[in-house]
Amino acid sequence: MRFKRVYIEITNVCNLKCNFCLPHHRENRFMTFEEFKLILNKIKPYTNYIYMHVKGEPLLHPDVDRFIEYAYNEGFLINLTTNATLLKNHLHITKYLRQINISLHATNSLEIVQVAKQIKDCIVCFRIWNIDKDLKNKELLEKEFNVQIPLQENFTLAENIFLSQKEEFAWPTLESTILCDKKYCYGLINQIAILVDGTVTPCCLDNEGDINLGNIFNNDFNEIITSERAIKIIEGFKENKACEELCKKCTF
């Protein structure tokens, strides 16, 4: 089994409180460098791609530059998702990234866009999650890149700089009244997430780690992904059926 995306949450602490992002109720934590090294060692046979993202702002981590350089030297293709408010202090590490995804729901989009335009070493992807409502950021990008942006999912702004536009969705929670057991998902099929405390869960939308498949700090990764619960989830999705309660509440 190989994954196209392994999400690693190096911290669940964020410096913003955007309306789009559902707050979590887990203990705030920063992953240690030794824990990060352990994760990379365990997942190396299963993927080439890591995504530094679940909740939290990765650029808040005091060792994020060290993490990225280490992962790069270990041969991983690194994707970073950020609100970019701290990006100007980390431009030197973009040469180790495959792609940087920048949410434009932060406080000063103009400064963020202008800082991001300095990046020449990796793909830059701006993200807008309310495609038909965020006209302010749409107009900002049109002015900065001298383009007209249609309402389509992906758009090229410049060489190696893109815009990803999607409709806003509700984060799944166990308390949600939504119920739909007919669902296909890539969770455990080509993606998996590892939370800051080592909890392994099928996808990056498990805000609280409700689908706890095991802890990578304590368990063998192969045992986690081939457990009875994990296999049941995979087989369910292949039959367009959501087995887990949280998955039944997901609208993504």
Side-chain angles (χ1 to χ4, degrees), residues 50-203:
I50 62 170
Y51 287 71
M52 300 178 82
H53 164 64
V54 177
K55 300 306 292 287
E57 170 49 54
L59 294 183
L60 266 181
H61 198 297
D63 287 328
V64 63
D65 295 357
R66 186 183 181 196
F67 280 27
I68 291 172
E69 186 172 358
Y70 179 81
Y72 175 84
N73 288 332
E74 287 294 302
F76 288 94
L77 298 168
I78 309 158
N79 304 269
L80 175 75
T81 297
T82 175
N83 61 39
T85 54
L86 303 172
L87 181 59
K88 62 184 177 182
N89 301 321
H90 299 274
L91 288 173
H92 57 284
I93 54 92
T94 59
K95 63 185 178 182
Y96 300 119
L97 299 177
R98 170 189 172 269
Q99 180 169 319
I100 182 167
N101 302 310
I102 298 174
S103 170
L104 289 182
H105 296 277
T107 53
N108 189 343
S109 296
L110 176 59
E111 179 183 352
I112 287 169
V113 171
Q114 291 178 339
V115 169
K117 286 173 69 175
Q118 300 176 44
I119 298 174
K120 307 299 180 183
D121 307 304
C122 70
I123 297 169
V124 176
C125 182
F126 295 107
R127 289 182 170 180
I128 296 177
W129 282 103
N130 41 356
I131 184 172
D132 57 345
K133 299 175 184 177
D134 196 348
L135 298 180
K136 181 179 178 181
N137 277 320
K138 179 175 177 288
E139 292 169 359
L140 166 63
L141 291 172
E142 288 179 333
K143 182 178 180 181
E144 284 294 307
F145 292 96
N146 192 27
V147 294
Q148 291 293 315
I149 300 174
L151 289 178
Q152 63 187 49
E153 183 171 333
N154 297 307
F155 183 76
T156 302
L157 296 169
E159 184 177 1
N160 287 333
I161 303 179
F162 304 92
L163 171 63
S164 174
Q165 307 175 91
K166 295 184 183 296
E167 294 182 2
E168 190 170 354
F169 66 94
W171 285 74
T173 68
L174 293 177
E175 292 73 32
S176 173
T177 57
I178 296 170
L179 186 61
C180 178
D181 62 358
K182 299 293 184 183
K183 184 174 183 62
Y184 181 82
C185 179
Y186 292 111
L188 290 179
I189 294 175
N190 69 12
Q191 68 177 35
I192 196 166
I194 302 168
L195 303 184
V196 67
D197 65 351
T199 298
V200 179
T201 187
C203 84

Side-chain angles (χ1 to χ4, degrees), residues 219-240:
N219 306 117
D220 180 78
F221 187 62
N222 187 64
E223 290 180 1
I224 293 173
I225 61 177
T226 58
S227 66
E228 182 178 348
R229 187 178 186 183
I231 296 301
K232 184 178 179 181
I233 293 170
I234 295 168
E235 294 304 319
F237 285 147
K238 288 180 178 179
E239 297 175 1
N240 292 313

Side-chain angles (χ1 to χ4, degrees), residues 8-25:
I8 303 177
E9 181 186 71
I10 65 171
T11 182
N12 58 1
V13 180
C14 190
N15 57 340
L16 296 179
K17 294 183 179 180
C18 299
N19 291 333
F20 163 73
C21 196
L22 183 70
H24 66 82
H25 299 93

